[in-house]
Amino acid sequence: MRAIDSVKQEIEKELVQPLPKLSIVRLVDLFVEYAYTSRASDIHIQPEENGVRVRFRVEGLLRDVFNKIQISNDIHAEIITRIKVISGLRTDEHASPQDGRFKAAIEEFGNVDVRVSIMPTHYGENAILRILAATKAFVLEDLGFSPADLERVERSISRPYGMILANGPTGSGKNTKLYTILKKLNRPVVSIITVEDPIEYSLDGITQIQVNSQVGLTFANGLRSILRQDPNVIMVGEIRDQETANIAVNAALTGHLVLSTLHTNDAATTFPRLLDMGVPSFLVASTVNIVMNQRLVRMLCPSCKQSRSLSASETKSLKEILPVADNLQSKLFSPKGCAKCDQTGYASRIGVREVLEVNDEVRRLVMNRASAQEIKQAAIKNGMTTMVEDGLAKARAGLTSLEEVLRIIHE
């Protein structure tokens, strides 16, 4: 695979060409190659009044890589048309959103899956390209679980029925975690069916269904039909409403292992959330095996990270906002920046998570409709490490910085 600087220089050469000499086909290919090489998850092609802004989301943050070059709106129209053509979208439709996907060939690597979203805006059509290649090779051990949490997850996925929930905000790695679990469960003797919106990765040996509300194929309807397809394992992309929640819980109760996601701030809030959706408390208590909640933090570049000590005032302030910081060591690490990390000080990302395994005490609290705080305290008593504690442990180990841990706490 080529060096990132080489790809960047080729893009810059193309962008300064007059439109008749510019190869739009080559430019779009280079954008995708640059995104993959720089570990970007998304490409943002955003039209503005006086030109086009192209940004890349690297380790969760957007970067203006080509902001010193004025990209004309004429080029923007050609770029959008090219993206529509290779994604199988309508080139004559400019007033409605369109979604698609395509494969791009990366030199010395192979094909990269790219998901496309086109949205009409005031100054033209906005394009977001999501790069979907990087997580295909993951195994559970790569996801940053502590040894105790990894043991809890493996114990839960070895059960023949129940619910496994991965929670967190958009972009926190929920789907990556569920796909990794599906790959581990995928064996010739097991039937796995998913209903997703959208399907992010195509997995061999697994039946995947794309939600299509235009023909009435919703999560709830898809899940209802899946139950007649004799599956062992079911993945529902997201539990969004009462109907889907009730069908999923009943599926878990009747001998299926069900994987899904919810949007909650922490693991303990999952239970009040399901109860608020109208799922009976005895069903929630009987079916949920484990809840994993997480955020992604940037990892410090191993080539340039530098140690630093906390001052007395920093230690005092930290203990005021983080009660669990009492045992924080004074020696931590901070980003510096070098050629290997593109002067950012960070390289890649890692999950900061909490894993709540349901035991008898948690089940009793759920049955009694206890608050999330009561459930959280019981889980901590049972050995759960909170996200804050997990983040501080990774900061102490030099994997990330204290600033990154504080950032995800305040998000």
Side-chain angles (χ1 to χ4, degrees):
M1 194 160 56
R2 292 191 297 169
I4 186 171
D5 287 341
S6 172
V7 182
K8 183 179 178 182
Q9 288 171 8
E10 281 199 47
I11 294 174
E12 290 173 340
K13 287 179 182 178
E14 290 287 350
L15 290 175
V16 297
Q17 294 283 346
L19 185 57
K21 294 184 178 181
L22 172 62
S23 172
I24 296 296
V25 172
R26 178 67 176 149
L27 182 60
V28 172
D29 289 346
L30 286 170
F31 278 155
V32 176
E33 184 175 356
Y34 181 85
Y36 182 79
T37 307
S38 63
R39 307 180 309 277
S41 60
D42 301 87
I43 307 170
H44 287 232
I45 303 172
Q46 177 183 338
E48 297 182 340
E49 183 176 9
N50 298 314
V52 183
R53 191 179 190 187
V54 179
R55 292 183 291 174
F56 296 80
R57 188 177 294 280
V58 181
E59 279 117 35
L61 301 178
L62 284 170
R63 293 186 192 172
D64 255 321
V65 180
F66 305 106
N67 56 328
K68 295 181 180 179
I69 300 175
Q70 183 69 30
I71 306 175
S72 74
N73 285 321
D74 291 337
I75 294 178
H76 169 259
E78 297 290 336
I79 291 173
I80 296 298
T81 298
R82 172 59 184 169
I83 292 171
K84 286 180 177 180
V85 168
I86 58 179
S87 304
L89 303 179
R90 289 183 55 183
T91 57
D92 60 342
E93 177 59 72
H94 305 287
S96 298
Q98 296 190 72
D99 296 321
R101 59 197 305 147
F102 65 90
K103 289 184 181 291
I106 302 295
E107 190 174 315
E108 298 178 13
F109 172 76
N111 288 331
V112 172
D113 291 321
V114 182
R115 195 174 77 216
V116 175
S117 173
I118 306 286
M119 175 70 71
T121 69
H122 181 59
Y123 292 112
E125 291 175 284
N126 196 67
I128 308 296
L129 281 60
R130 170 152 290 189
I131 312 301
L132 298 173
T135 59
K136 285 187 175 178
F138 278 170
V139 293
L140 279 175
E141 290 77 10
D142 293 333
L143 299 183
F145 285 105
S146 68
D149 285 344
L150 181 61
E151 184 179 340
R152 292 185 180 101
V153 173
E154 290 182 331
R155 187 160 55 235
S156 292
I157 67 177
S158 67
R159 295 174 182 170
Y161 60 88
M163 290 188 74
I164 296 173
L165 296 173
N167 300 350
T170 301
S172 61
K174 301 186 298 296
N175 285 335
T176 296
K177 190 158 42 182
L178 291 185
Y179 274 111
T180 304
I181 291 173
L182 286 180
K183 286 174 62 182
K184 189 173 182 69
L185 293 170
N186 190 13
R187 305 189 308 276
V189 295
V190 176
S191 170
I192 302 175
I193 306 180
T194 75
V195 54
E196 307 172 58
D197 184 24
I199 296 172
E200 293 203 2
Y201 302 102
S202 176
L203 300 177
D204 292 338
I206 294 177
T207 303
Q208 296 173 271
I209 301 168
Q210 169 69 53
V211 165
N212 186 349
S213 57
Q214 293 181 347
V215 297
L217 182 54
T218 62
F219 277 119
N221 291 337
L223 180 54
R224 193 179 287 109
S225 297
I226 283 174
L227 293 174
R228 296 192 287 269
Q229 293 282 310
D230 189 31
N232 300 105
V233 180
I234 300 167
M235 187 183 90
V236 186
E238 183 181 347
I239 294 177
R240 296 177 179 174
D241 52 49
Q242 179 178 349
E243 187 179 13
T244 306
N246 275 295
I247 299 171
V249 167
N250 278 284
L253 190 67
T254 54
H256 304 87
L257 187 63
V258 178
L259 285 67
S260 192
T261 69
L262 275 173
H263 288 283
T264 61
N265 291 326
D266 60 15
T269 309
T270 299
F271 303 96
R273 175 82 176 110
L274 288 171
L275 295 176
D276 288 343
M277 284 183 168
V279 183
S281 59
F282 75 93
L283 286 180
V284 176
S286 302
T287 56
V288 178
N289 293 343
I290 198 167
V291 180
M292 302 168 286
N293 200 286
Q294 77 172 44
R295 305 289 188 278
L296 292 177
V297 296
R298 292 179 294 170
M299 293 180 68
L300 288 166
C301 174
S303 299
C304 65
K305 67 180 181 182
Q306 53 190 7
S307 62
R308 75 177 185 94
S309 298
L310 287 176
S311 66
S313 60
E314 283 180 315
T315 302
K316 182 180 178 181
S317 299
L318 191 59
K319 288 180 179 179
E320 289 175 358
I321 60 174
L322 296 176
V324 296
D326 287 337
N327 62 346
L328 188 65
Q329 297 174 356
S330 58
K331 186 73 74 175
L332 293 170
F333 295 85
S334 61
K336 182 181 179 182
C338 65
K340 290 185 178 180
C341 62
D342 200 20
Q343 305 303 324
T344 64
Y346 294 97
S348 190
R349 289 190 290 176
I350 192 170
V352 171
R353 57 175 55 84
E354 57 190 25
V355 177
L356 194 163
E357 187 176 28
V358 178
N359 64 355
D360 290 339
E361 185 177 1
V362 171
R363 289 190 186 95
R364 178 179 56 79
L365 289 171
V366 174
M367 286 283 291
N368 294 329
R369 304 184 74 92
S371 68
Q373 186 60 32
E374 291 175 291
I375 295 172
K376 184 174 184 177
Q377 291 303 319
I380 292 172
K381 180 182 173 183
N382 189 42
M384 183 184 81
T385 301
T386 66
M387 274 192 292
V388 175
E389 291 171 325
D390 189 42
L392 292 178
K394 287 180 168 66
R396 286 195 294 268
L399 295 175
T400 189
S401 65
L402 182 60
E403 290 78 11
E404 276 292 288
V405 176
L406 293 173
R407 179 177 67 83
I408 63 104
I409 290 170
H410 293 301
E411 277 186 347

